[in-house]
Amino acid sequence: AAAAGEAAAYSHLGHMYAQGMGVEQDNATALEFFRKGAAKGHAPSQNGLGYMYMQGYGVAQSHSKALQLFQKAAERGNAEAQFNLGAMHIAGLGVRKAHDKALHHFTLSAHQGHTLALYNLGQMHLNGLGTAASCPVAVQFLKAVAERGPWGSMLMEAHDGLLGGREEAPLQLYASLAEGGYEVAQSNVAFLLDEHYMASPDSQVVGLSGEALAQRAFSFYKAAAAQGNVAAELRLGDYLYYGHGVPVDFEGAAHHYRVAAESRDAQASFDLAYMYTHGLGLPSDVHLAERHYDQAMDASADAYLPVQLALLELRLVAWWQAHTGRSNSPVLAARRLLATAWARGWGIAAGEAAEEGAGSPPCSTCSTEARRAARARPQARRGRGTSAALATTRG
């Protein structure tokens, strides 16, 4: 490939000779190949040549030439060059020391997954170099570095086990990683427990079934949400709204939906709009409901049809409130009546008191299923409503 003038081949050969990989270490030969690649505008070759000048390997040390080469490579999006520019600015090599510029270049490199850039960003945020000191931000960067350790192979082992049709062993692997604070594992084990609970709540998995299974999924979703997982925030809202393993809490559900909606999650915006429409855990507010429906459509084109149908319902509620002076929802009232009729029509035994509040049916004989039907809302997403998904990486 190098004989044919391939720039990438020049870069690879330059690195091999510079580091003595498979060949005898030779800086002069490395420089020759890096120069050939750089002459073709190849970013990795420019970065390699810049590094040789920065360190003075096989050539007179020149920070100014190194800086020029790094800048050319960085402009082409090379993560190593972006990192090296950050290193030169933080150390004042060839330039005036500037922590803010170093932070900028490290950030560009970190966006491409550069591990050392992530580490340096963590240290800079921890010590307030080039930015305001922030322990929470520093922890996020340093945590991303820590999760790249060899134990990350357990995540892939668990994933491969699932693909192979196993369930218990992968769940246990995910759970052990989750207990260690691995956010991807926390969201994955929550998702798997959630899926099992929704599909077959009475059958056991890892020794759990029924409400205990839902409670365990909820706890893992809560841990993942605490680390910024938006899908976990959405499912926490769902669990509190429907009462899966936890008491029904419309206000708590609205809180989690709002957090997810702030990250432009279409379903969360849709759910918030529905709760504003019917006054569930929030004051009934037609204008805020419409605003959140609009945000759902802005966040996802798939939300268009569900939102248009929900807007028809919103118009009905607005008309009802304007002409009756009542703040309650006629739609929820109709659902309560249907739930009551359904429960009584099938002879469900009395004795299970209905919840108090805006979403509960007006009777004390409705079953759990009937009460959930009375407060059920339409869904903008498809499927059973499990919004999380298995992940193998953070990026």
Side-chain angles (χ1 to χ4, degrees), residues 139-198:
V139 165
Q140 289 301 312
F141 283 117
L142 296 176
K143 179 177 176 296
V145 176
E147 288 182 350
R148 296 182 178 213
W151 45 85
S153 62
M154 294 174 63
L155 190 69
M156 291 305 302
E157 182 182 346
H159 187 260
D160 292 341
L162 286 173
L163 293 180
R166 291 177 290 157
E167 185 177 31
E168 293 270 345
L171 258 174
Q172 290 172 354
L173 277 175
Y174 279 136
S176 63
L177 288 168
E179 295 293 350
Y182 210 133
E183 178 265 317
V184 173
Q186 290 169 344
S187 60
N188 283 0
V189 71
F191 172 81
L192 291 170
L193 294 175
D194 190 2
E195 284 278 276
H196 192 90
Y197 174 73
M198 294 297 171

Side-chain angles (χ1 to χ4, degrees), residues 270 293 296-298 300-311 380:
F270 184 94
Y293 280 137
M297 286 195 296
D298 290 341
S300 173
D302 291 339
Y304 177 80
L305 181 57
V307 166
Q308 293 306 309
L309 295 174
L311 285 173

Side-chain angles (χ1 to χ4, degrees), residues 244-335:
H244 295 323
V246 292
V248 171
D249 181 357
F250 292 137
E251 291 183 3
H255 166 74
H256 290 292
Y257 289 147
R258 182 173 286 108
V259 173
E262 288 172 355
S263 296
R264 291 183 57 78
D265 185 280
Q267 180 65 53
S269 295
F270 184 94
D271 293 346
L272 265 182
Y274 184 85
M275 296 181 80
Y276 272 119
T277 298
H278 300 291
L280 299 173
L282 297 166
S284 180
D285 191 317
V286 171
H287 300 294
L288 284 176
E290 188 167 11
R291 180 188 301 175
H292 283 289
Y293 280 137
D294 288 341
Q295 289 176 357
M297 286 195 296
D298 290 341
S300 173
D302 291 339
Y304 177 80
L305 181 57
V307 166
Q308 293 306 309
L309 295 174
L311 285 173
L312 294 176
E313 181 183 56
L314 180 62
R315 300 288 179 264
L316 173 62
V317 171
W319 179 88
W320 169 271
Q321 292 177 353
H323 285 77
T324 66
R326 299 178 181 178
S327 61
N328 66 319
S329 167
V331 178
L332 286 185
R335 285 180 180 166

Side-chain angles (χ1 to χ4, degrees), residues 331-378:
V331 178
L332 286 185
R335 285 180 180 166
R336 292 183 195 124
L337 290 174
L338 288 173
T340 303
W342 178 84
R344 291 176 176 172
W346 284 94
I348 295 173
E352 193 172 7
E355 305 102 322
E356 297 179 359
S360 58
C363 69
S364 60
T365 58
C366 297
S367 69
T368 301
E369 291 77 8
R371 295 204 309 276
R372 287 176 179 172
R375 63 175 176 263
R377 64 179 187 279

